Amino acid sequence: MDKAAPSLVDYDPFAELPLAQHIIESFTEKLDIQPGSRILDVGGGTGESAIAILKCLKGPVGWDGSVTLLEPEERLIEVAQTRLRDAPVKYIHGYAQDLEHLNLDRRAFDFTIWSNGIHYVVDQKALANVLKAIRRCTGVKFRAWTTFMADAYVGRTARFAGLWVRAAYQRLGVDTKKRRRAKSMSMRRVRGLAEYVTAFSEAGFTDVRAGLERFELRPEVYEAIACFDDYVENALPSIPDRPDITLRMRSEALVGSVREVYDRLAVDTLPRNWLWVEGAP
Ligand SMILES: C[S@@+](CC[C@H](N)C(=O)[O-])C[C@H]1O[C@@H](n2cnc3c(N)ncnc32)[C@H](O)[C@@H]1O
């Protein structure tokens, strides 16, 4: 099963960025969640997506409805519990792949969202099972969004990605000329819009709709993304003959190289697509 959860660093550097909050809020609002709804928040992390959902549940006298936050990393659940202390949030410690074994009622939730995380389920069969489990426990609509997908790069972002990896290797004293160009996220086997639409439809969702939304990313966004250890592992894979270069060192090299490459490209922002996909059960 495809359950590798990140462990190197917290998600906070990304989730705390105003742009990350804007992206989560804008994708959540499109669901038109009304007070009184029950929402499943898959891969809820430290609670950023739950915060966006809770805004939709505010009624005239406080929150009306509930959020169930599913998250595999206990320490992230603890952060969310502290942040959302007084909110109507329940927690389930587990992976999306566990949903089918949780004995949840059919249509236990009105809406399910999966914010910035569906790409973690890489295996096709595992994704199919997860989608079927989500369809079973969702009454009205399921919506997911991610930028770690095949259609993410637009404009000069592909050029940026190549230069960024090279600059990071140089920072680590690794000779990139001798080395085959490292696999970047763009070369990893990832799904794009068409594959997600197919996966949703094959899992039985109806009225499946999807789209790409472009956001302009300032360097701090890539500095935050380079703190995700799974991202680092793909963008700057470990070097077999250099066991002294740890994951943390590779992460720091990526973080340290972002502004250098933005300066070299003479840009303040770079465009990147987020994919959203939704379906009715
Ligand atoms: C980038 S964070 C997104 C957190 C939050 N939903 C947001 O939008 O800010 C991705 C989250 O997915 C969790 N995750 C990783 N693999 C997962 C899986 N197989 N099933 C469910 N969650 C997973 C991680 O632990 C992490 O909290």
Side-chain angles (χ1 to χ4, degrees):
M1 220 183 251
D2 206 354
K3 285 184 173 180
S7 58
L8 177 68
V9 279
D10 283 330
Y11 283 100
D12 289 354
F14 179 72
E16 281 171 5
L17 292 171
L19 179 77
Q21 292 164 3
H22 165 70
I23 291 170
I24 295 169
E25 269 181 32
S26 66
F27 285 132
T28 304
E29 277 165 12
K30 303 256 169 46
L31 274 172
D32 199 22
I33 295 168
Q34 297 298 317
S37 304
R38 301 154 304 161
I39 323 292
L40 174 62
D41 179 14
V42 182
T46 54
E48 213 54 56
S49 33
I51 289 171
I53 297 166
L54 286 164
K55 283 189 183 161
C56 306
L57 296 182
K58 267 271 191 255
V61 285
W63 287 298
D64 180 11
S66 67
V67 180
T68 300
L69 190 157
L70 173 79
E71 167 58 43
E73 291 240 9
E74 216 160 72
R75 71 202 169 94
L76 300 189
I77 291 184
E78 282 162 17
V79 175
Q81 280 170 328
T82 307
R83 294 177 80 196
L84 307 170
R85 207 175 300 115
D86 305 318
V89 182
K90 299 168 213 164
Y91 297 87
I92 302 178
H93 181 212
Y95 290 88
Q97 292 91 323
D98 298 326
L99 277 170
E100 60 179 313
H101 310 295
L102 289 177
N103 290 326
L104 292 165
D105 288 345
R106 186 173 279 279
R107 298 173 182 250
F109 309 101
D110 301 302
F111 297 91
T112 296
I113 73 151
W114 198 344
S115 169
N116 293 320
I118 195 167
H119 54 276
Y120 282 115
V121 182
V122 179
D123 179 77
Q124 277 301 112
K125 183 91 182 73
L127 180 70
N129 289 339
V130 169
L131 290 176
K132 280 181 203 149
I134 289 176
R135 188 165 78 85
R136 189 180 178 284
C137 69
T138 304
V140 181
K141 202 178 269 188
F142 167 50
R143 180 175 249 246
W145 53 90
T146 179
T147 187
F148 299 106
M149 46 97 202
D151 305 308
Y153 288 4
V154 265
R156 300 181 79 191
T157 294
R159 172 102 182 100
F160 162 76
L163 289 174
W164 188 25
V165 167
R166 212 173 311 155
Y169 273 133
Q170 271 164 11
R171 210 167 260 260
L172 290 166
V174 173
D175 186 351
T176 45
K177 290 201 192 84
K178 279 195 203 147
R179 195 164 296 284
R180 216 163 51 84
R181 190 82 176 273
K183 268 188 293 170
S184 74
M185 273 313 260
S186 64
M187 294 162 78
R188 190 182 166 202
R189 194 180 62 80
V190 285
R191 299 174 204 103
L193 184 145
E195 290 80 14
Y196 274 110
V197 168
T198 302
F200 271 51
S201 302
E202 285 178 359
F205 282 100
T206 58
D207 197 17
V208 176
R209 299 182 326 125
L212 298 172
E213 244 174 83
R214 184 183 295 205
F215 296 91
E216 289 291 328
L217 272 47
R218 299 182 61 81
E220 53 266 31
V221 179
Y222 279 104
E223 287 168 347
I225 285 175
C227 292
F228 295 167
D229 61 352
D230 60 308
Y231 185 86
V232 176
E233 201 51 77
N234 283 291
L236 216 60
S238 60
I239 305 156
D241 53 334
R242 291 292 307 272
D244 55 311
I245 297 179
T246 61
L247 184 63
R248 183 167 292 277
M249 287 163 71
R250 285 181 278 137
S251 168
E252 285 168 0
L254 281 169
V255 172
S257 307
V258 174
R259 279 169 207 263
E260 179 186 319
V261 182
Y262 267 66
D263 286 350
R264 188 159 161 203
L265 293 171
V267 292
D268 293 324
T269 64
L270 283 163
R272 187 172 176 118
N273 278 336
W274 255 253
L275 161 77
W276 60 269
V277 52
E278 65 176 31

